[in-house]
Amino acid sequence: MSVPTAVAARTVCAPLPVLGRDVTVPLVTGGEVTYAALDYAASAPALQRVWDDVAAYAPYYGSVHRGAGYLSQLSTDLFENARGTVAEFLDCRPDDQLVFTRSTTDSLNLLARALPAGCQVFVFETEHHAALLPWKDARVTCLDAPRTPRQAVETLERALADRDPHGPALVCVTGASNVTGELWPVRELAAAAHAHGARIVLDAAQLAPHHPVSVRELDVDWVAFSGHKLYAPFGSGVLAGRADWLVAADPYLAGGGASRKVSRREDGGVDVEWHESAARHEAGSPNVIGAYAVASACKALTEAGFDGLVVREEYLIAKVRAGLAEVPQVRVLSLFGDDAPRVGVISFVVEGWNSSHFAAALSAEYGIGVRDGLFCAHPLVRTLLGGDARSQGECGAPEAAPGEKSLNAIRVSFGAGTPDEHVERFVNAVRELVTEGARWQYRTQDGRCVPAV
C-alpha cells in the first residue's frame, strides 16, 4: 500500500515551527536521537509563535479587570481581545458567550452544571471520558457505537424520537475521535438534534487543531476545546455558545469576578448579584497567559491556512497508514472503515505484542513518543478490540484488570508541527520491532512497561 497519488502529488507545506523540535533523548541501546513527538492527541507541543507571543507579553503581566495601573489595563485588554479572537476563530454567533476554562473536561463539566432541571443527555459510548462522564446529575442515555456515519445519525434520531418531547435535551458528540481519528457527521447530528427539540455540544478537542470549526456552519449550540491540544499548552480551555443556559445557571465557581454586587443582609446573610456575561463562570483571577496563548494559536493556524495544513496532514496520514498496512501483524482500529476521513490520530494493535511493551520499545530504542492504553475512552477501545485475547508480551498494560491485559492499544498522533522524518522513523521502527523483536529486555514497574536495568 503506497501513499495515494492524489495526496502525494499535491504541494505539501512545511511543518509549522514548534518547541522541542531539536530536543535529543537518550536511547537505552546507547547514544542519542532527536525526539519524535507523536502524541499530539494527548498534548501538542507549543507553536514557536505562541511561545514568542507569551514571552513578549510576560513582562507586562498584571491583574485583570479591576486594576487601575497601566499593566492591569493592558492585561485586561489583552484578555478580552483574546476572547474576541477565539470567538472569531470559532465563527461564533453575535450573541454567543465564550468562557475561558481550564480544558475541554472543565468546559463540559461547566455546561453540565448549567443544564436545566430535568434535562436528558444523549451521548455515544465512543466519547472521551471528558464528554462521557460529566452528566451525572442528568438523565443520561448512552448510545451504542455506530459503524457508519449514517448509522450514527439514525441511532441518534431513534433515541431522540423516544424521549419526552416537552423536556430539555442535550446531545454531546465529538468532532474527531481521540482513538481512531475519524471525523463524525457533526452537521447532520446537529440537524437531527434540533429537529427533535434538543441542543448539541461539540467536543472539538481533537477537531480544532486539525480542521476549521465554525459554530454557525455546523449549527452546534456549544463547542468546547483545550488549548494544550491546539499548540498552546498553558492550562486554558474554551466553552463557547448559547448564553441562555449559562446565564440562568448558578456560577460554576462562586467568588470574585463572578459577582457584580455583594451586600450584607440584616439577618447576617449575604445577598449576591452575579454577572450575566462570561465573567459569571470565570471566578477568581483568570489564566491570562493561557487565554492569550489560545488566541495566539488561533491566529497562527488561521494565518498558516487550514487548507494547506489539511493537505499536509492527509499526506502524513497516508504515509503512516500505508506503512502500517505493509506489516500484516498490525491491525488499525476503526469504526467507519478505511475510507473514512480522519485527522492525524491512528490507534492499532500488534499481534504477539502487548501494546505497553511495544510503546516502551518505541521510546527506549527509537526515541519515539506515542501513547498506549485505553486513551480515556475505555468503552470505545474495548468495543473496537472486542475482548480478543492476544499474547501478553513481556509487560502488562497500565491500569489493566486480571485477564484483561491485552485490552489496550497503541496510538500515534501528529499534526501541524510534525516533520516527515518523524513519521518515517515511526513506520520503520514498527516494521523492525515486528520482524526483529526488541533489542532490550523490559519489565513492569508501577503499572508501566520500562526497560530492565
Side-chain angles (χ1 to χ4, degrees):
M1 180 178 177
S2 59
V3 177
T5 304
V7 175
R10 285 182 285 180
T11 301
V12 177
C13 63
L16 299 184
V18 295
L19 258 63
R21 57 190 179 274
D22 298 323
V23 167
T24 59
V25 294
L27 300 180
V28 71
T29 51
E32 294 186 340
V33 67
T34 303
Y35 183 64
L38 297 178
D39 193 16
Y40 275 45
S43 282
L47 286 172
Q48 185 67 54
R49 155 78 175 272
V50 171
W51 190 262
D52 291 345
D53 283 350
V54 167
Y57 161 64
Y60 300 92
Y61 171 80
S63 63
V64 173
H65 290 149
R66 292 166 294 281
Y70 178 81
L71 296 191
S72 291
Q73 294 182 41
L74 185 150
S75 294
T76 298
D77 287 346
L78 181 141
F79 183 68
E80 293 303 332
N81 287 337
R83 196 189 307 277
T85 297
V86 179
E88 183 179 356
F89 177 78
L90 294 172
D91 191 25
C92 289
R93 296 164 292 251
D95 56 350
D96 283 341
Q97 278 193 1
L98 190 145
V99 182
F100 283 116
T101 65
R102 293 177 295 179
S103 60
T104 306
T105 301
D106 198 36
S107 295
L108 294 175
N109 274 270
L110 189 166
L111 184 60
R113 287 276 297 274
L115 296 182
C119 188
Q120 187 171 5
V121 175
F122 296 84
V123 60
F124 286 93
E125 68 171 342
T126 48
E127 293 294 317
H128 186 281
H129 294 171
L132 192 63
L133 301 181
W135 322 105
K136 61 183 183 300
D137 295 328
R139 292 181 296 150
V140 179
T141 298
C142 191
L143 306 175
D144 292 340
R147 289 298 180 168
T148 66
R150 180 66 244 170
Q151 189 181 78
V153 177
E154 292 171 349
T155 298
L156 179 62
E157 287 176 333
R158 286 194 299 270
L160 291 172
D162 291 338
R163 81 175 187 91
D164 177 0
H166 302 294
L170 178 70
V171 176
C172 181
V173 68
T174 188
S177 171
N178 78 305
V179 175
T180 67
E182 292 162 319
L183 298 178
W184 277 62
V186 177
R187 187 181 289 105
E188 292 82 359
L189 291 166
H194 294 151
H196 290 85
R199 296 191 180 191
I200 185 168
V201 57
L202 169 64
D203 173 359
Q206 300 296 340
L207 182 63
H210 305 275
H211 287 264
V213 174
S214 169
V215 168
R216 282 190 266 206
E217 287 186 14
L218 294 173
D219 197 23
V220 294
D221 297 282
W222 292 277
V223 61
F225 71 88
S226 297
H228 72 98
K229 298 185 192 298
L230 196 79
Y231 311 100
F234 291 91
S236 193
V238 169
L239 176 68
R242 306 287 182 193
D244 54 350
W245 286 9
L246 300 177
V247 172
D250 289 338
Y252 185 44
L253 297 173
S259 56
R260 175 185 289 168
K261 183 171 65 175
V262 180
S263 58
R264 287 284 303 275
R265 296 197 307 263
E266 290 185 3
D267 63 4
V270 176
D271 286 327
V272 184
E273 181 181 327
W274 303 106
H275 280 294
E276 294 189 355
S277 65
R280 184 183 190 90
H281 298 291
E282 293 177 345
S285 295
N287 181 0
V288 183
I289 287 193
Y292 183 47
V294 171
S296 173
C298 290
K299 286 182 180 179
L301 293 173
T302 300
E303 291 170 5
F306 269 107
D307 288 346
L309 295 176
V310 169
V311 169
R312 171 169 179 75
E313 188 167 311
E314 288 176 347
Y315 170 73
L316 294 179
I317 292 169
K319 289 189 75 166
V320 172
R321 286 177 61 82
L324 294 180
E326 293 175 354
V327 185
Q329 294 87 346
V330 170
R331 176 164 70 93
V332 173
L333 306 183
S334 174
L335 273 174
F336 301 153
D338 289 344
D339 296 331
R342 66 195 70 227
V343 299
V345 179
I346 299 169
S347 295
F348 62 98
V349 291
V350 183
E351 183 179 353
W353 284 80
N354 180 276
S355 295
S356 178
H357 184 195
F358 201 87
L362 285 174
S363 174
E365 300 179 28
Y366 297 91
I368 298 171
V370 297
R371 181 61 59 105
D372 66 278
L374 299 175
F375 318 126
C376 289
H378 295 186
L380 172 56
V381 178
R382 289 189 175 110
T383 293
L384 293 172
L385 293 181
D388 289 344
R390 290 179 176 269
S391 172
Q392 301 303 307
E394 297 174 29
C395 289
E399 302 176 3
E404 200 177 75
K405 289 187 175 181
S406 62
L407 289 180
N408 62 325
I410 306 149
R411 184 181 70 190
V412 56
S413 53
F414 40 88
T418 305
D420 289 19
E421 187 274 329
H422 287 186
V423 299
E424 290 165 358
R425 195 197 320 169
F426 165 76
V427 169
N428 291 335
V430 169
R431 183 183 301 111
E432 190 169 291
L433 280 173
V434 171
T435 57
E436 301 179 17
R439 291 170 287 173
W440 205 261
Q441 295 296 313
Y442 296 82
R443 60 187 177 87
T444 300
Q445 177 179 306
D446 298 328
R448 297 295 311 171
C449 191
V450 298
V453 178

